[in-house]
Amino acid sequence: MFYNQDIALRFPKGKFAMWSVYSFTGASILASIVFSLLLFLSIDDDPVMQLLFGGLAVIFELGKFFAWYEVGERHARRNYPGMLSALVFYMVLAAISIGGSVGGINSATNKAQEHVNVQQSKVNAYNMQIQSIDEQIQLNNVAAEKYIQMERIATGVTRIQKENNKLRQEQQALAMERDNLPVVSQGSVIGLIDSLASFLNIQASTAQLGLVVFLSVLLDFFAAFFVGLIGEENRFRHQFHNMKPLTIEGFSPAESKSPELLSHFDDADIVNEAEKTPYEQVLQALSLNRVNCSKRAVSKYLNFSNDEVDEIFKRLFDEGIVSKKANNHFQWHGVAKAEIEAELA
């Protein structure tokens, strides 16, 4: 519980929350760098060029998030021209980064799809061979019927039956080889792309492009959000610790000191304050200009009840010390110094 009135409306985030924020931020930035590297490293096969392009991708990614952090810092300082320049710089780097992420994710998705296509091509090749053997067997059966019609069963039909048996054995061997091929899982991303293409009635390549663009933009905004959150939390912590609010947890009665007197009070006035009547205290406060001439100000200053203040102001009005204006506000006329001393004697 805070006793200060002009303090922030919340506490700084705890260690667990901040570790979570830093973990999410690091993971999202790392993922963004990896996807950009997939594209930049594919530009050239030369190791030196790959090192240069890879370093360029890392610089773009880290510079982009530092620029976004600087946008928040300059906005907090109300440096709007500087904020706009940092924002433009961030947008340029973000466009490059999103393009790199799109290319990287698209490249990784294409490789996964190519692996599935290669395995499917092997299966299709076996199916074509099996289908070809089926067609050959059908042709042999047609020839066998002609041999039967020519009553050449012993010579022609027997030979065709032996050939069909050989073809069926070959067909069974091919089917076994096809069935023994390793099962290739389609993958969740490839399955999602096919599902989107079927649902939207578009080509798989179009669905793939839309998906990778969406994921790249989402990843970039996700990382930017947490970078901005870290900047805002650091600024809040700095402001919070500079205010040094008084809390119950930090209050110790043994260490508490007696409240110091305000500089504009004399020691004699404080000592004799308890000996004065409420009327005398009000008269002294008004005469020394310690409080405005209003019931609310006097009640708050001397901690009197409203009834007490009403009676005192009625007496002051009857004695001509105060008067009422046209707006019903009281006006202080004052009393002579001798009269004040006489009243307080």
Side-chain angles (χ1 to χ4, degrees):
M1 175 180 177
F2 286 91
Y3 291 99
N4 302 57
Q5 294 181 356
D6 298 326
I7 59 175
L9 299 178
R10 66 174 179 88
F11 288 100
K13 290 182 174 61
K15 292 184 178 180
F16 176 77
M18 291 307 299
W19 274 111
S20 301
V21 171
Y22 281 114
S23 300
F24 286 135
T25 306
S28 56
I29 293 176
L30 181 61
S32 183
I33 292 175
V34 169
F35 286 129
S36 294
L37 284 174
L38 290 176
L39 177 67
F40 279 83
L41 293 179
S42 64
I43 296 176
D44 199 306
D45 295 332
D46 186 5
V48 176
M49 297 303 296
Q50 286 185 341
L51 180 61
L52 292 176
F53 283 120
L56 190 63
V58 173
I59 291 172
F60 281 160
E61 291 294 333
L62 297 181
K64 173 190 64 176
F65 292 113
F66 183 81
W68 181 248
Y69 185 89
E70 190 64 20
V71 169
E73 289 291 322
R74 295 183 181 184
H75 180 269
R77 296 195 300 266
R78 301 181 184 275
N79 181 11
Y80 298 114
M83 183 196 73
L84 290 176
S85 63
L87 182 61
V88 171
F89 187 55
Y90 165 77
M91 292 176 66
V92 173
L93 293 178
I96 298 174
S97 173
I98 291 174
S101 297
V102 168
I105 296 175
N106 199 33
S107 176
T109 307
N110 287 336
K111 289 182 179 179
Q113 185 65 52
E114 288 175 1
H115 183 64
V116 174
N117 292 338
V118 168
Q119 293 299 106
Q120 188 61 42
S121 297
K122 292 181 180 179
V123 174
N124 292 337
Y126 280 107
N127 290 335
M128 291 177 63
Q129 294 181 40
I130 293 172
Q131 182 65 28
S132 178
I133 292 174
D134 278 336
E135 293 175 356
Q136 184 62 44
I137 291 174
Q138 292 296 329
L139 291 175
N140 289 343
N141 290 334
V142 172
E145 291 180 358
K146 291 183 179 181
Y147 279 118
I148 292 173
Q149 293 174 359
M150 292 186 297
E151 297 181 354
R152 296 177 60 182
I153 299 175
T155 56
V157 174
T158 302
R159 179 180 59 81
I160 291 175
Q161 288 178 345
K162 291 181 180 179
E163 185 178 351
N164 284 346
N165 289 335
K166 184 179 179 181
L167 290 173
R168 288 190 180 95
Q169 291 177 0
E170 184 180 353
Q171 188 181 50
Q172 291 176 359
L174 289 173
M176 291 179 62
E177 291 180 8
R178 180 195 61 186
D179 295 339
N180 288 331
L181 288 174
V183 179
V184 180
S185 58
Q186 189 181 36
S188 57
V189 176
I190 304 300
L192 177 61
I193 292 173
D194 291 340
S195 300
L196 285 175
S198 300
F199 178 74
L200 299 176
N201 195 21
I202 57 178
Q203 295 182 355
S205 59
T206 305
Q208 177 179 338
L209 179 61
L211 180 62
V212 297
V213 169
F214 172 75
L215 292 178
S216 300
V217 174
L218 182 63
L219 175 63
D220 202 74
F221 285 169
F222 185 81
F225 170 78
F226 281 105
V227 169
L229 179 62
I230 291 174
E232 190 276 334
E233 183 65 21
N234 288 337
R235 290 189 294 272
F236 175 78
R237 284 174 176 269
H238 180 74
Q239 179 184 6
F240 183 87
H241 291 306
N242 285 342
M243 291 170 59
K244 297 180 181 179
L246 176 64
T247 63
I248 288 180
E249 292 80 1
F251 177 75
S252 175
E255 299 176 357
S256 61
K257 299 179 180 179
S258 300
E260 299 179 356
L261 301 178
L262 297 178
S263 58
H264 61 273
F265 285 106
D266 296 332
D267 293 339
D269 292 339
I270 300 301
V271 172
N272 298 328
E273 189 70 28
E275 300 177 359
K276 296 183 177 68
T277 64
Y279 174 80
E280 293 171 345
Q281 294 181 33
V282 172
L283 190 62
Q284 182 181 15
L286 292 174
S287 300
L288 299 177
N289 293 323
R290 292 176 180 172
V291 65
N292 293 331
C293 185
S294 70
K295 292 182 179 180
R296 179 179 300 179
V298 170
S299 176
K300 185 176 181 180
Y301 180 76
L302 296 174
N303 198 21
F304 288 167
S305 65
N306 293 333
D307 293 338
E308 287 181 303
V309 174
D310 289 339
E311 293 180 0
I312 294 172
F313 267 80
K314 184 177 182 302
R315 179 177 173 182
L316 293 175
F317 180 78
D318 294 339
E319 295 175 356
I321 299 176
V322 298
S323 64
K324 277 190 176 183
K325 300 179 183 179
N327 56 4
N328 288 330
H329 290 174
F330 288 97
Q331 181 178 2
W332 171 256
H333 296 291
V335 293
K337 183 176 181 180
E339 295 179 359
I340 296 175
E341 292 176 354
E343 291 285 350
L344 298 179

